[in-house]
Amino acid sequence: MGKTADLTAVQKAIIDTLKQEGKTQKEISERIGCSQSAVSRHLSGKSVGRKKCGRKCCTTRRGDRTLRKIVEKDRFQTLGDLRKQWTESGVETSRATVYRRVQEMGYRCRIPQVKPLLNQKQRQKRLTWATEKQHWTVAQWSKVLFSDESKFCMSFGNQGARVWRKTGEREMPKCLKSSVKYPQSVMVWGAMSAAGVGPLCFIKGRVNAASYQEILEHFMLPSAEKLYRNEDFIFQHDLAPARSAKTTGKWFTDHGITVLNWPANSPDLNPIENLWDIVKRKLRDARPNTLDELKAAIEASWASITPQQCHRLIASMPRRTEAVISAKVFPTKY
């Protein structure tokens, strides 16, 4: 027989039992499926773990610690950049070795999460908002009609620079990148609740207070009618100028609609962002060639979203608010 793995505790116990029964080493080896020499070594007390096989590691622990510092210094470096800096520190290796080492450290090459940067005042307001909503139940969040706009582009191939990050570091500031603009695109407004999604509105040109109120009249109200019937609901939107205008506030007052207070630059708290992401992932497979095809693909993908998906996203709101509080951006009295 060829070499075998080290004997397990069970195999060793069986060998001892069979030896007491008077079995020969050959019979024992055939019985448990190992080599006769392995049985002999165990019975003679010379059984030890095999020496480590394979080529000796070409880097040291000290060198690996240096590589970790290089990665942590700038998460957006390419493998070539990492190898160059590691070589300059005195460790000569191949790109494959660099890749294996960063993988062993727990880093994975991922497309970075795009997230607006927040100033100190905005961070404090986010924390205050999350604290106020900390004890809201899923039933309360189900009363909220979430809305947002999203830009859909014709090109889906170039995702830009990648980032080295570990599991759970998706929202870490040094792993984020700023958003960029693309040509040939359409802007879409939509709304969702725990019950499903409302009709989409394809926006032409810039949105001012007047055009936004048209969207509310012809798309938000039908969405509320579809998702809530005659039940009361709370409407959510961000703090863009068209939403914050006095005439828009008067429109809500005239229609008797309660608006949820919302922290600035906080798309990560809005569950509809997850729906936009689902639609955009589906569009990568559709590969539309014209704007009309793009609009049709968006509508088809949006219509395929189920109420179950929406309810799961609404159910995540308590976790989202808790995450803001747990981040502890600034010491507060809360």
Side-chain angles (χ1 to χ4, degrees):
M1 291 184 182
K3 293 182 178 180
T4 61
D6 295 333
L7 294 174
T8 65
V10 175
Q11 288 176 318
K12 292 177 181 179
I14 294 174
I15 291 175
D16 293 335
T17 302
L18 294 177
K19 183 62 177 177
Q20 292 175 3
E21 294 176 358
K23 304 293 183 180
T24 65
Q25 292 183 6
K26 183 177 180 180
E27 291 173 333
I28 295 173
S29 64
E30 291 176 350
R31 182 77 172 270
I32 66 174
C34 70
S35 67
Q36 187 174 337
S37 60
V39 175
S40 177
R41 285 195 302 272
H42 172 68
L43 294 175
S44 63
K46 297 180 180 179
S47 178
V48 294
R50 292 186 301 164
K51 293 182 178 180
K52 187 176 181 180
C53 301
R55 188 169 57 182
K56 184 179 178 181
C57 182
C58 62
T59 61
T60 64
R61 291 184 179 180
R62 182 177 181 180
D64 293 345
R65 288 196 297 269
T66 300
L67 178 59
R68 185 188 299 274
K69 292 178 181 178
I70 293 172
V71 175
E72 288 289 341
K73 183 178 179 181
D74 182 3
R75 297 294 191 95
F76 288 86
Q77 297 178 90
T78 64
L79 273 178
D81 295 332
L82 295 176
R83 182 193 178 197
K84 180 180 178 181
Q85 292 193 51
W86 207 17
T87 301
E88 292 174 351
S89 70
V91 182
E92 185 68 36
T93 59
S94 65
R95 286 171 58 94
T97 299
V98 176
Y99 181 74
R100 284 196 300 271
R101 290 297 176 273
V102 294
Q103 290 274 315
E104 291 167 1
M105 293 174 188
Y107 298 100
R108 299 295 182 267
C109 191
R110 298 285 188 257
I111 297 172
Q113 176 83 350
V114 179
K115 185 176 179 180
L117 297 178
L118 300 172
N119 58 39
Q120 181 173 348
K121 184 177 180 180
Q122 290 170 337
R123 288 173 182 266
Q124 186 61 58
K125 286 186 175 181
R126 271 170 60 95
L127 185 58
T128 301
W129 178 89
T131 304
E132 292 173 352
K133 304 296 186 293
Q134 183 178 12
H135 301 295
W136 273 36
T137 64
V138 175
Q140 287 175 291
W141 285 115
S142 297
K143 293 291 184 180
V144 179
L145 179 65
F146 290 90
S147 71
D148 191 29
E149 298 169 2
S150 186
K151 192 175 186 179
F152 290 81
C153 309
M154 291 293 297
S155 175
F156 302 96
N158 182 15
Q159 298 294 333
R162 288 180 173 251
V163 62
W164 294 102
R165 70 184 186 213
K166 298 179 181 179
T167 302
E169 294 184 343
R170 176 175 175 147
E171 300 289 343
M172 184 177 290
K174 61 182 176 182
C175 295
L176 301 174
K177 75 170 185 178
S178 58
S179 58
V180 295
K181 296 181 180 180
Y182 299 93
Q184 287 190 296
S185 61
V186 293
M187 186 67 73
V188 185
W189 179 94
M192 60 87 71
S193 74
V197 299
L200 291 177
C201 173
F202 290 94
I203 302 171
K204 295 181 179 179
R206 298 183 62 180
V207 178
N208 54 28
S211 59
Y212 182 63
Q213 290 162 34
E214 288 291 321
I215 294 174
L216 296 174
E217 189 74 39
H218 300 292
F219 293 92
M220 189 276 282
L221 291 181
S223 296
E225 173 64 25
K226 171 187 174 182
L227 301 173
Y228 291 100
R229 301 295 180 181
N230 296 322
E231 296 181 8
D232 293 332
F233 69 95
I234 302 172
F235 182 66
Q236 178 277 335
H237 60 183
D238 58 31
L239 302 181
R243 281 88 157 152
S244 304
K246 291 183 179 180
T247 55
T248 301
K250 184 176 182 302
W251 186 95
F252 283 109
T253 301
D254 294 343
H255 287 76
I257 297 173
T258 302
V259 178
L260 180 70
N261 66 306
W262 194 253
N265 287 349
S266 298
D268 57 309
L269 297 176
N270 194 340
I272 199 173
E273 292 291 338
N274 298 83
L275 296 187
W276 294 136
D277 187 55
I278 291 172
V279 173
K280 289 177 181 179
R281 286 202 302 269
K282 291 182 179 180
L283 291 182
R284 295 192 187 108
D285 298 326
R287 295 285 178 177
N289 296 314
T290 65
L291 288 180
D292 288 338
E293 290 181 1
L294 176 61
K295 291 179 180 179
I298 293 171
E299 289 183 323
S301 298
W302 185 255
S304 68
I305 295 173
T306 65
Q308 290 77 15
Q309 288 175 295
C310 295
H311 186 271
R312 284 197 296 269
L313 290 174
I314 297 300
S316 72
M317 288 305 298
R319 296 194 300 273
R320 295 175 193 240
T321 56
E322 187 61 36
V324 175
I325 297 172
S326 299
K328 297 181 180 178
V329 180
F330 299 104
T332 67
K333 64 180 180 180
Y334 298 110

